[in-house]
């Protein structure tokens, strides 16, 4: 085992010399320690964070080094084996000392036999060049890791980070999907911590699939570079990870409304008809998405003039009706001389090349296509400026797709030449950050050109993409298994920093059914990104496609979402500070409740709303679990004691929803689109108990809130039913003129003069 030969303590790190390797242990703060070995490189995720100079010490132990902060003690041993304790000496996390227990090596022969029948087999038995093996104490649950399929707790599974567009229906055994977020949270009986492995190459995460004695993560290339993040709660760990990689910026308020989309709205007429139907059927809607059909031959930054006579005028008239339009943009640029984007990119050397220097091509929607080299600042700037074409058309947001990057003619070879800024790099290194950098370019372009808060949606992500884009979970199918998967998948994305996420409601591939669509809207109306989208050739799934009864249930849930808009907006406002997601697994707030460690079929929105949706075909009753404490049935107002399971009737039109006692939930009246009404009175839906709530109000569009141009109302309720509302920060006009108080099924109006009011709700 390699011995520590020498070490040097610096300001915030210690450099260690082993026989033939150098390591660095860096103290970011008393609970965040970085372990590093490798070449100097810049992180794509940890970009803007600053920590005050930490207070720490280093001493020599009998045969190791001991690093101490106010919260942690880290022993650094020979072989760069590290053990981490709290200040009382309790073990938090230890490196595993034994050998990996590989039960059977996968041979070349096995691989070829299996692939002969068309199956693929992932070789998990390989030793990796960089491999960090942590000892398992037995009770670990693992959360996070981005958009992986399967269930909430990743214990017992193996995953890879390699952004992948796999059109087959996604199942639990998929090892990778569109996003690579190499961060996970480990929850044990007596402690919680997170690990962020900041390596953009293909990385592997074995969460006890190989053995119950250890879990490991690693890669064949890149650096050993991981952050150990300690905290007393999962929320604290997540907040620290978000401090490292950046929080989700407050979105424009309208983006939280309902989005209608379909690959196959081919013409201007179809879009107009869709919009007027949304209004005539009174299904609130803020946003319509234009898929690749709007382009001229799938050429990005062009418009199909055959099907759109006057897109600009059409978009303007739709905007008068309250609709905002979003367009899809793929990274693949059609290889066609005379097409300005292609010509400019060729002239300036903006596209990825083969190792021999020829522009690399593969096939995507437009046929032969080339790939912008987003790692270069110049290329990002060029791409950013191209957004002007869409802004000039009146577009209000950009949907970045196929940015894994997807390719139809086999995967891009590892050695395709990309850049990491001015450094020559490879596809192998840049693959997992390709979508991240495309989203960054798009975000920066919109921020610069439009001035409003950019609305970017991306399919591919890396850690930190939350700073630039919201994301959807890609091409799911209209199958019950995918509705079931939506809950843990969105919750794990939230625990991985991606708070603003959603699934294609109703399912993208395959044909939906009325029942599936309704059960999906009952989940979807709570997901931060609220979009119904479907694939070309599948059964149409707009809200009215299945008759009046389905339409009216669908409408009921879209309307519920519109009532809750201020609650969602507040969660985003707070999330920008705390890093906490909007949609949360129960375990995030009830980490000592074993019953919710594997709760895959319920979720929280913020801390106050618990949703227990029906996720099985034909079921009309739901086995609900509520954590300890008092809750209120949203539909009946009935008080329910938590801490156990019970059966709730859940006919097709009813999604069981529970509100935590003492909750204060701001509501808007139902509008057909956000901003339709001038809201002078805020509705406060109040549930008995003790509680405090902060509500924010601003222009809903610009960054002025960052200069203090917002109002913050503090609303509190004590156990004597005394409600107090005060304006804690007054930076925006107008202030609400009054509040509509909803209490135990009754409504009452109170005026507000701008400073503070108190009233006894029972009085
Ligand atoms: C991809 C996207 C999907 C989109 C389609 C056509 O499959 O994931 O959302 O509709 O491409 O652009």
């Amino acid at each position: 085992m390699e011995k520590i030969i020498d070490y040097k303590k610096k300001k915030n790190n210690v450099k260690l010399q082993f026989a033939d390797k150098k390591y660095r242990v860096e103290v970011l703060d008393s609970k965040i320690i970085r372990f590093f070995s490798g070449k100097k490189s810049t992180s794509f995720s940890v970009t803007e964070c600053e920590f005050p100079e930490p207070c720490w010490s280093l001493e020599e132990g009998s045969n190791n080094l001991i690093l101490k902060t106010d919260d942690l003690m880290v022993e650094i041993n020979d072989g760069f084996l590290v053990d981490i304790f709290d200040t009382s000496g309790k073990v938090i996390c230890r490196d595993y000392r034994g050998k990996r227990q590989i039960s059977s090596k996968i041979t070349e022969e096995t691989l070829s036999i299996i692939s002969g029948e068309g199956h693929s087999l992932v070789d998990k038995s390989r030793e990796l060049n960089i491999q960090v093996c942590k000892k398992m104490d037995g009770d670990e649950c693992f959360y996070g890791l981005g958009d992986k399929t399967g269930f909430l707790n990743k214990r017992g599974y193996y995953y890879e980070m390699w952004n992948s567009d796999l059109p087959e229906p996604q199942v639990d055994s998929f090892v990778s999907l569109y996003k690579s977020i190499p961060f996970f949270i480990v929850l044990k009986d007596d402690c919680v911590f997170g690990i962020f492995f900041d390596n953009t190459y293909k990385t592997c995460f074995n969460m006890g699939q190989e053995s119950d004695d250890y879990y490991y993560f690693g890669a064949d290339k890149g650096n050993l570079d991981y952050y150990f993040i300690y905290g007393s709660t999962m929320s604290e760990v997540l907040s620290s990870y978000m401090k490292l990689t950046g929080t989700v910026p407050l979105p424009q308020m309208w983006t939280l409304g309902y989005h209608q989309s379909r690959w196959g709205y081919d013409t201007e007429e179809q879009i107009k008809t869709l919009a007027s139907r949304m209004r005539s059927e009174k299904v609130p809607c803020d946003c319509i998405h234009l898929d690749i059909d709007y382009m001229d031959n799938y050429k990005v930054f062009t418009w199909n003039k055959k099907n759109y006579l006057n897109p600009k005028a059409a978009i303007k008239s739709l905007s008068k009706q309250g609709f905002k339009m979003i367009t899809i943009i793929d990274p693949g640029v059609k290889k066609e001389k005379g097409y300005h984007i292609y010509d400019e990119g060729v002239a300036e050397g903006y596209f990825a090349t083969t190792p021999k220097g020829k522009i690399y091509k593969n096939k995507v929607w437009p046929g032969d296509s080339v790939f912008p080299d987003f790692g270069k600042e110049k290329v990002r700037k060029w791409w950013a400026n191209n957004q002007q074409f869409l802004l000039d058309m009146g577009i209000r947001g950009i949907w970045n797709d196929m940015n894994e990057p997807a390719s139809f003619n086999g995967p891009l070879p590892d050695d395709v030449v990309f850049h990491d800024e001015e450094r020559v790099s490879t596809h192998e290194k840049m693959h997992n950050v390709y979508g991240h950098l495309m989203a960054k370019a798009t975000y920066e372009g919109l921020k610069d050109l439009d001035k409003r808060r950019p609305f970017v949606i991306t399919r591919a992500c890396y850690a930190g993409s939350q700073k630039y884009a919201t994301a959807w979970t890609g091409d799911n199918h209209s199958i019950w298994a995918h509705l079931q998967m939506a809950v843990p998948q969105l919750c794990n994305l939230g625990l991985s920093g991606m708070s603003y996420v959603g699934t294609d409601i109703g399912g993208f591939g395959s044909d939906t059914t009325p029942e599936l669509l309704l059960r999906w809207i009952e989940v979807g109306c709570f997901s931060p990104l609220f979009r119904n989208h479907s694939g070309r050739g599948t059964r149409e799934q707009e809200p009215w496609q299945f008759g009046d009864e389905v339409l009216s249930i669908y409408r009921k849930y879209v309307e519920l979402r519109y009532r809750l808009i201020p609650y969602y907006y507040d969660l985003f406002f707070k999330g920008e500070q705390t890093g906490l997601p909007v949609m949360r697994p129960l375990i995030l707030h009830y980490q000592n409740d074993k019953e919710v460690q594997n709760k895959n079929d319920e979720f929280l929105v913020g801390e106050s709303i618990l949703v227990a949706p029906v996720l099985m075909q034909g079921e009309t009753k739901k086995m609900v679990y509520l954590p300890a404490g008092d809750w209120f049935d949203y539909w009946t107002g009935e008080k329910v004691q938590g801490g156990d399971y019970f059966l709730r009737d859940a006919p097709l039109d009813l999604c069981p929803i529970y509100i935590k006692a003492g909750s204060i939930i701001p509501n808007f009246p139902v509008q057909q689109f956000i901003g339709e009404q001038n809201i002078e009175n805020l509705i406060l839906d109040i549930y008995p108990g003790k509680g405090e709530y902060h509500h924010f109000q601003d222009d809903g569009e610009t960054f002025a809130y960052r200069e203090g141009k917002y109002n913050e109302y503090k609303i509190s309720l004590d156990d004597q039913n005394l409600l107090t509302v005060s304006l804690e920060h007054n930076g925006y006009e107008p202030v609400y003129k009054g509040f509509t108080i909803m209490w135990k099924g009754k409504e009452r109006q109170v005026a507000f003069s701008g400073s503070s009011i108190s009233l006894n709700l029972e009085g």
Side-chain angles (χ1 to χ4, degrees), residues 124 128 130 132 142-146 148 154-162 175 180-185 195-199 201-210 214-219 225-226 432 462:
K124 308 176 188 96
L128 301 158
I130 301 161
V132 181
F142 300 106
Y143 304 103
L145 292 172
K148 300 293 179 267
K154 298 303 182 195
R155 169 86 185 245
Y157 290 87
Y158 169 88
Y159 299 102
E160 288 178 355
M161 296 295 166
W162 186 252
V175 298
S180 289
I181 310 188
F183 170 67
F184 59 92
I185 298 176
I195 289 180
F196 169 39
F197 181 30
D198 192 7
N199 179 323
Y201 286 87
K202 181 188 273 188
T203 52
C204 307
F205 292 80
N206 195 315
M207 314 315 287
Q209 170 271 342
E210 188 169 85
Y214 58 84
Y215 55 97
Y216 72 81
F217 54 93
D225 187 359
Y226 75 93
N432 282 340
Y462 183 68

Side-chain angles (χ1 to χ4, degrees), residues 651-669:
L652 193 51
D653 67 341
L654 193 134
C655 173
I657 302 168
Y658 295 87
I659 311 291
K660 197 176 163 183
S663 289
I664 296 159
I665 302 187
N667 277 223
F668 279 172

Side-chain angles (χ1 to χ4, degrees), residues 296-300 302 332-347 351 359 361-362 365-371:
D296 171 24
N297 277 312
Y298 306 137
K299 286 186 279 189
V300 289
T302 69
V333 170
K334 187 172 172 62
K335 184 173 181 290
E336 183 182 276
K337 281 209 179 95
Y339 160 39
H340 68 293
I341 300 288
Y342 175 72
D343 289 348
E344 277 168 35
V346 171
F351 299 125
I359 294 178
K361 69 169 191 338
N362 201 313
W365 301 122
D368 277 352
S369 302
V370 295
F371 298 85

